[in-house]
Every structure is written in C-alpha cells, then in structure tokens.
C-alpha cells in the first residue's frame, strides 16, 4: 500500500512542507488501527490509532514515541544521534477517516523540546488501499 506523509512545520524561521511516500501496511486489531512503514532516513514508523487518541512510534536512527490526544499535552523523549531531548506534544486536532479505498490521519500539534516551543506542526498521512 502507498503511504504519503505531509508534514507542515511552522517555526520562527517560516513554514516548511515535507512530503514523502513509502510502502506500508494497514492492519486492524480489534478497535485499534495500525499503520507500519519504513522511512529510509529514520527507520520503522508505527502509527497506532485508537478511539480519540493515536501513538506514533519511531525506531531507528531517530527513536521517539509521540502521543496525540486532543487538547492534551503529553510528555516523552526524542532520541537522536546528537543526543536526547525532553519532548512535549500539545494536540489541537486529531482526525482519522477510512473508506474501502483510502485512509487519512491528521494531527495538528505544538512541539516543545527541552522546555522550548520549537514548532506548530500539521501531520497528514494518506494511505491508498488500492496499491
């Protein structure tokens, strides 16, 4: 299945849009939807989507766990080759829609690293279930 990720990041330096495509797998386990794909630069990404929340887990060169829950701030760590950072995610929007042909995940969130607000992000992940 074709996975397209679109990350729009707004920082004090302006807005950047990063669009990438990967091959992936969409699975259902009870009330949970699991999307798995490989990012060549970062490693394996797994997105667990439940009712009213989602968890994105990356393992590889960059290792992190991001928890998205509307109007909630979650805390975790972001591990990079340059060190580890305390991370906060404040989710303002979380949506997931699925049809027989496609699935779309969307999260809007503020990102804080080591206590400093670094960006407002919009993450959209599109799955084409026909490929």
């Amino acid at each position: 299945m074709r996975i397209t990720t679109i990350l729009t990041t707004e920082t004090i330096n302006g807005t950047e849009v990063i669009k990438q495509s990967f091959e992936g797998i969409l699975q259902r386990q009870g009330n949970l939807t699991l999307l798995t794909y490989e990012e060549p630069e970062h490693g394996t990404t797994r997105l667990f989507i439940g009712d009213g929340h989602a968890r994105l887990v990356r393992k590889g060169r960059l290792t992190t766990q991001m928890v998205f829950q509307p109007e909630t701030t979650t805390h975790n760590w972001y591990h990079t080759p340059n060190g580890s950072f305390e991370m906060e995610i404040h989710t303002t929007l979380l949506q997931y829609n699925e049809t027989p042909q496609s699935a779309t995940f969307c999260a809007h969130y503020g990102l804080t690293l080591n206590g400093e607000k670094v960006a407002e992000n919009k993450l959209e992940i599109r799955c084409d279930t026909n490929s």
Side-chain angles (χ1 to χ4, degrees):
M1 146 182 325
R2 196 77 182 147
I3 310 293
T4 302
T5 63
I6 304 163
L7 176 65
T8 304
T9 302
E10 293 181 32
T11 67
I12 58 171
N13 298 323
T15 301
E16 180 180 11
V17 178
I18 302 167
K19 184 176 180 180
Q20 298 177 290
S21 291
F22 312 99
E23 287 300 314
I25 300 169
L26 183 68
Q27 301 169 296
R28 280 158 210 80
Q29 301 170 347
N31 292 334
L32 195 65
T33 299
L34 171 61
L35 177 62
T36 305
Y37 55 96
E38 290 288 328
E39 294 183 75
E41 294 180 18
H42 303 302
T44 302
T45 299
R46 288 186 177 90
L47 177 63
F48 300 85
I49 304 165
D51 188 26
H53 68 282
R55 183 169 49 103
L56 187 141
V57 178
R58 281 198 175 111
K59 291 188 179 178
R61 189 172 157 267
L62 302 176
T63 302
T64 191
Q65 178 172 228
M66 302 169 79
V67 178
F68 303 102
Q69 191 168 345
E71 300 307 323
T72 302
T73 300
T74 59
H75 303 266
N76 220 304
W77 288 90
Y78 184 61
H79 304 284
T80 74
N82 299 323
S84 296
F85 304 92
E86 224 177 312
M87 179 177 64
E88 291 180 6
I89 300 288
H90 181 78
T91 306
T92 55
L93 176 79
L94 181 67
Q95 294 178 332
Y96 179 71
N97 297 302
E98 189 174 335
T99 69
Q101 296 81 26
S102 66
T104 304
F105 170 82
C106 187
H108 295 187
Y109 61 96
L111 176 64
T112 301
L113 295 175
N114 288 340
E116 184 177 328
K117 178 98 178 231
V118 294
E120 285 293 327
N121 293 330
K122 295 177 183 175
L123 174 62
E124 184 176 347
I125 301 175
R126 299 177 189 159
C127 309
D128 180 1
T129 56
N130 291 324
S131 59

